Amino acid sequence: MDYDVRRRWLLLLLLLLLLLVLPLIITITLLLLLLLLLLLLLRTAIATDTLNHRVQRWDPGAKAGVTVAGGHGCGSGADQLSHPGGIWAMDNGTIFVADTGNHRVMRWRDGARAGVLAAGGYGPGDGLHQLKEPVDVTVEPSSGGLIIADFGNARVVRWAAPAPPAELLAAVKS
């Protein structure tokens, strides 16, 4: 066989291989995309409802959302939010809310009626103990600390992991 004939056979073999393998690759890709879409549809969705000063959770198949933070009008109480921004949801149901209008980040445990201050909360300002219009929050995986986008101060700050509130487990009265 001369060189041109071998080259033609090689090209024909490559074309045949491509025609056989390409549909398989496309099929696998489409199946993976469908699986991803199903996983997204079966997940619980959590989103801020900024103008109603609350955070809503939608479970798969639900017709309406359930308020999981705020929802008691605009305000600065432990059960209120003011124009909430970004949120971070933990696997245990705890959520952190960037409470933009109150210049703080609040932690809400699953099922809680009120949140607990996690960062800021000392009025708007540029001190390291203050925030000014935080717009988003995330939890640093390695330390559990909060990473906060502090829009009003044009900075990103890290806050140490918030300590859980004390719980009374038992008491003895004399």
Side-chain angles (χ1 to χ4, degrees):
M1 266 197 210
D2 69 341
Y3 177 74
D4 285 337
V5 173
R6 267 194 261 158
R7 192 171 135 205
R8 286 183 186 164
W9 275 105
L10 184 60
L11 287 174
L12 184 62
L13 208 68
L14 285 174
L15 181 63
L16 183 61
L17 185 63
L18 184 66
L19 289 174
L20 291 174
V21 173
L22 192 60
L24 182 62
I25 292 172
I26 292 172
T27 302
I28 290 171
T29 304
L30 289 175
L31 286 174
L32 288 173
L33 288 173
L34 181 61
L35 179 62
L36 179 63
L37 180 63
L38 284 173
L39 288 174
L40 289 174
L41 291 175
L42 296 177
R43 284 182 48 137
T44 298
I46 300 175
T48 53
D49 185 2
T50 303
L51 297 179
N52 289 312
H53 314 287
R54 64 185 180 178
V55 177
Q56 295 282 105
R57 181 187 75 222
W58 282 271
D59 294 318
K63 300 289 183 205
V66 175
T67 300
V68 294
H72 295 97
C74 181
S76 60
D79 64 343
Q80 294 176 304
L81 297 169
S82 175
H83 300 92
I87 56 174
W88 185 264
M90 306 288 286
D91 290 337
N92 65 5
T94 299
I95 60 171
F96 291 90
V97 182
D99 191 5
T100 306
N102 286 320
H103 314 286
R104 66 185 182 181
V105 172
M106 296 292 286
R107 179 181 66 224
W108 292 71
R109 293 191 185 276
D110 191 23
R113 293 178 183 250
V116 176
L117 182 66
Y122 299 102
D126 61 1
L128 290 178
H129 65 292
Q130 295 174 301
L131 298 171
K132 185 176 179 186
E133 300 173 354
V135 293
D136 208 356
V137 61
T138 186
V139 176
E140 191 174 35
S142 60
S143 69
L146 300 177
I147 306 294
I148 302 164
D150 190 11
F151 178 76
N153 287 315
R155 66 184 183 182
V156 175
V157 293
R158 177 187 292 125
W159 287 64
E167 291 182 76
L168 179 62
L169 299 177
V172 177
K173 290 187 179 185
S174 52

